[in-house]
Amino acid sequence: MSPYMLIILIFTLGLGTLITLSSSHWLIAWMGLELNTFAILPLMAQQHSPRAMEATIKYFIIQTTAATMLLFASVSNAWLSGQWEIQQMSHPTPLALITIALALKLGLAPMHAWFPEVLQGLNFSTGLILSTWQKLAPFSLLLQIPPTSSFLLITLGFISVLMGGWGGLNQTQLRKILGYSSIAHLGWMILIMQYAPPLTLLALTVYIVLTSSMFLTFLYNQATNINSLAISWTKTPMLTALTPLVLLSLGGLPPLTGFLPKWAILQELTKQGLTPVAALTALSALLSLYFYLRLSYATALTTPPNNLPATLPWRIIFKQPTTFLAVLITMSLSLLPLSPSVMAFFTF
Amino acid sequence: MKYLLFLLLFLLILGVVGVASNPSPGFAALSLVMVAGSGCSLLAGQGGYFLALILFLIYLGGMLVVFAYSVAFTGSDYVEGWGTRRISLAAAGYLLLVWGGGVILSTNLNEEFWTVGASFGEFMSLEYSLVGVAHLYMGGGWLLVAGAWALLLVLLTVLELVRGASRGAVRVV
C-alpha cells in the first residue's frame, strides 16, 4: 500500500478513537466509531486475497449494523429526553439498545460469531489492531452510559466467557483461537462493568498486553496453526520458553499477570453477593484454560518429529526487532506483585 | 390545494408500493424518484424547503445516480415489472396492506402539530435544518474539519478498496 495511504489510515484510526473517547455528544461518538470502521477497511483488505476481502466485508456489515443501531438508539433517546448527552441517558429502551449495539461492535456473545471468522482472514498485525485498538472506543462508551438492566450485562458477560471458552476448544487455527480468547476476556470485562468500572479498565489493559504478546509471538514465528506452532521452537528457543507462560497468563493462572483481573473481578462479584455467577464464570474460564494449555503443550512441551536441517533455524540471526515483544512479555508475566499500584492506577 | 395534496400523497404511496414490489432495480429506482419527488414536495409545502432541496440534490442527484449506474451493469434480458401478473398481484397486496394500516391507525387521531422551524438568536423563523447547517459552518470549528476529514477518508477508502491491477481487491480489472 502506498505510504501516503497508510499514514492517512493509521492517523484516522487514532483520530476516530480519540474523537469517541473525548466526546459527550452521541453524534460525535458515532462519528468517531464510523471513522474507525472505515479507516481499518483498506488495512484489512491489504492482502488482496478472497479470504481477506470476505473478512473485510463481514467486518464492514457487522460494524455498520451496530453503528446504525447506536444511531437509532441515540436519536430515540434525544427524542424522548430532549438532549444528546452520553452520560444523561434516562430512558431504559434506548439504553438497552445501545448496550446491545456496543456488544455487537465488540464481539460479545451472543453476537460473537463474526469475530473469529474475521480474524482468520487477516494477517497478524491487522488482527492485532482489530483485537486491541478497536475495542477502546466502544468500551469508553459502555463505561460512560448510566447503569442499565443488570440482567443484560451479566448475561452478556457470562455467555461471552462460556462461548469464548467452548467455541475455542475445537480450533486448530491460531487466529480463531485468539478470537475466541478475546470473546472470553471481553465477557469478564462486561461482567464487572456495572459494579466496579475501574476493574473493567484493568481487565481491558491486562488483556491488551497479553493478547499483543501472543499476536506478536505468532507473527514472529509466522505460525498460523498449531502444527506450525509446534515446529517454531527451532526459530527462537527463548521465545519458545516464554510462550507457554504467556498463554498460562492468558488463562488466568497465578503468579502471572493474567490472574490479577480475574482475582479482582471474582472478589468484587462475591462482595456484591453474586457468588453463583462468580463460581460459574470461573468454571467457564476452565474451558479457555484448556485450549491455552493445548497451545503450551504444542509449543514447548513436545517436540514433533523433524529432520536435522529443520532444527537449525535458530542459528540464523533474525532481523525482526523484538524489543516491543520483550517489553510486553515482561509485563504479561511479572506484574502480579505490583497489583496494588496497578489497581491504584485504574481507580478514578 | 386539497387536490394537489391528494395527488402528492397518492404518488407517494404508489411509489413506495412500486419500490417494494419491483424485483428489477431499475424500476425500483424509478419508483424511488417518484417517492422522493412527491415526498419532497409535501415537505416543502409544510415549510421544510431546505431539507427537500438537499434531498433532491444529494440523495437523488448523487446517491441514486451512482446506484443507477452500478445497477446498469447488471442489466438482464427479461425484466419483470408491473406488467406481469405476479408482480402486479404483489403490488395490489402491498396497496391493500397500506390501506388496512391506514384504516387501523386512523381511528386514533389526535391533532398534533409539528414544526420545522423556529426563531432564535439571529435566525428568524427559519427551518431547523437550515439553521443547523449554518451553525455547523459558523461555530463548528474543528468538528467541521473532522467531518470533512471523514468524508475524505470514505472516498480514499473506497478508492483503495476498488483499485484494480493487483494493487486492490478487484483483481479482474
Side-chain angles (χ1 to χ4, degrees):
Chain A
M1 189 183 285
S2 145
Y4 305 112
M5 199 61 206
L6 200 60
I7 204 86
I8 288 177
L9 292 172
I10 294 182
F11 169 73
T12 311
L13 267 181
L15 180 71
T17 306
L18 191 63
I19 286 179
T20 307
L21 286 179
S22 56
S23 68
S24 54
H25 192 282
W26 269 119
L27 277 183
I28 311 302
W30 171 80
M31 185 170 91
L33 289 173
E34 290 285 274
L35 277 173
N36 264 3
T37 307
F38 274 98
I40 205 172
L41 290 180
L43 290 174
M44 291 169 71
Q46 237 176 342
Q47 275 187 312
H48 308 157
S49 67
R51 190 63 187 86
M53 283 318 293
E54 181 189 334
T56 312
I57 295 173
K58 276 183 191 168
Y59 183 75
F60 174 68
I61 291 178
I62 297 287
Q63 298 288 308
T64 325
T65 310
T68 312
M69 276 168 68
L70 192 93
L71 197 59
F72 174 62
S74 43
V75 168
S76 305
N77 182 57
W79 188 20
L80 289 167
S81 65
Q83 43 80 28
W84 291 84
E85 278 280 325
I86 295 180
Q87 296 181 1
Q88 303 288 330
M89 292 190 82
S90 47
H91 210 256
T93 313
L95 260 178
L97 196 54
I98 286 207
T99 313
I100 295 178
L102 290 170
L104 176 58
K105 250 200 194 286
L106 286 169
L108 285 167
M111 289 81 67
H112 66 286
W114 59 277
F115 193 64
E117 297 173 9
V118 165
L119 263 190
Q120 177 66 16
L122 309 172
N123 52 352
F124 278 114
S125 21
T126 317
L128 175 62
I129 300 179
L130 211 79
S131 295
T132 54
W133 187 254
Q134 298 286 69
K135 308 279 183 246
L136 293 178
F139 258 111
S140 78
L141 291 176
L142 270 174
L143 281 168
Q144 287 182 63
I145 59 179
T148 177
S149 153
S150 79
F151 174 71
L152 178 66
L153 287 173
I154 293 186
T155 311
L156 282 173
F158 175 62
I159 302 229
S160 298
V161 178
L162 193 60
M163 291 313 298
W166 216 340
L169 284 178
N170 199 25
Q171 306 298 333
T172 55
Q173 294 289 325
L174 293 178
R175 287 165 288 184
K176 283 198 172 165
I177 287 184
L178 286 174
Y180 281 106
S181 110
S182 165
I183 296 168
H185 282 266
L186 289 175
W188 279 94
M189 295 175 214
I190 290 289
L191 206 52
I192 202 65
M193 184 173 282
Q194 47 183 322
Y195 304 112
L199 291 182
T200 304
L201 281 178
L202 171 70
L204 181 64
T205 312
V206 169
Y207 166 67
I208 286 180
V209 167
L210 260 42
T211 200
S212 308
S213 315
M214 284 324 297
F215 265 104
L216 290 175
T217 307
F218 294 151
L219 178 64
Y220 192 79
N221 287 327
Q222 289 292 312
T224 51
N225 51 9
I226 298 188
N227 287 347
S228 313
L229 193 63
I231 54 170
S232 64
W233 65 272
T234 56
K235 297 187 188 117
T236 48
M238 191 53 165
L239 193 56
T240 312
L242 293 171
T243 307
L245 294 175
V246 178
L247 283 164
L248 292 178
S249 185
L250 262 175
L253 293 186
L256 307 167
T257 314
F259 180 57
L260 176 58
K262 292 195 165 63
W263 178 20
I265 290 176
L266 288 175
Q267 184 180 25
E268 187 62 36
L269 281 176
T270 329
K271 274 192 213 165
Q272 298 279 342
L274 289 168
T275 322
V277 173
L280 286 171
T281 314
L283 287 175
S284 311
L286 282 178
L287 296 167
S288 317
L289 184 63
Y290 181 72
F291 60 76
Y292 295 135
L293 272 175
R294 182 193 285 152
L295 288 182
S296 323
Y297 180 75
T299 311
L301 301 176
T302 54
T303 316
N306 224 336
N307 46 5
L308 186 60
T311 61
L312 297 173
W314 59 272
R315 288 191 178 273
I316 307 170
I317 302 175
F318 274 31
K319 291 285 193 220
Q320 200 174 346
T322 49
T323 324
F324 190 47
L325 179 59
V327 172
L328 284 174
I329 291 187
T330 313
M331 284 170 67
S332 50
L333 297 185
S334 52
L335 276 186
L336 194 64
L338 286 175
S339 311
S341 49
V342 169
M343 288 180 68
F345 190 65
F346 289 106
T347 314
F348 48 84
Chain B
M1 186 59 188
K2 257 193 282 193
Y3 294 114
L4 180 65
L5 226 60
F6 179 76
L7 176 70
L8 290 173
L9 285 168
F10 176 75
L11 287 177
L12 183 76
I13 300 298
L14 196 63
V16 168
V17 164
V19 173
S21 60
N22 271 311
S24 154
F27 286 144
L30 189 63
S31 284
L32 197 58
V33 174
M34 191 159 70
V35 171
S38 46
C40 284
S41 313
L42 283 168
L43 196 59
Q46 296 291 313
Y49 49 87
F50 185 68
L51 193 56
L53 185 69
I54 295 292
L55 203 95
F56 256 105
L57 267 174
I58 308 299
Y59 190 75
L60 289 187
M63 304 200 294
L64 192 73
V65 159
V66 173
F67 174 70
Y69 284 149
S70 323
V71 152
F73 280 117
T74 70
S76 60
D77 292 334
Y78 304 102
V79 178
E80 288 187 332
W82 275 344
T84 61
R85 202 173 63 134
R86 180 177 78 99
I87 294 173
S88 53
L89 277 179
Y94 289 133
L95 270 172
L96 211 64
L97 201 67
V98 169
W99 178 77
V103 162
I104 294 174
L105 289 174
S106 66
T107 55
N108 210 2
L109 269 176
N110 11 343
E111 288 279 330
E112 277 190 18
F113 296 98
W114 51 295
T115 60
V116 289
S119 309
F120 51 95
E122 55 262 23
F123 300 103
M124 307 304 286
S125 201
L126 285 175
E127 198 187 339
Y128 276 134
S129 342
L130 184 58
V131 173
V133 174
H135 266 299
L136 178 66
Y137 278 89
M138 244 178 31
W142 286 106
L143 200 61
L144 185 61
V145 178
W149 182 258
L151 291 175
L152 179 66
L153 174 81
V154 174
L155 171 69
L156 292 175
T157 300
V158 172
L159 281 178
E160 187 65 30
L161 283 175
V162 301
R163 201 189 294 264
S166 86
R167 278 192 61 198
V170 183
R171 309 215 313 193
V172 204
V173 177

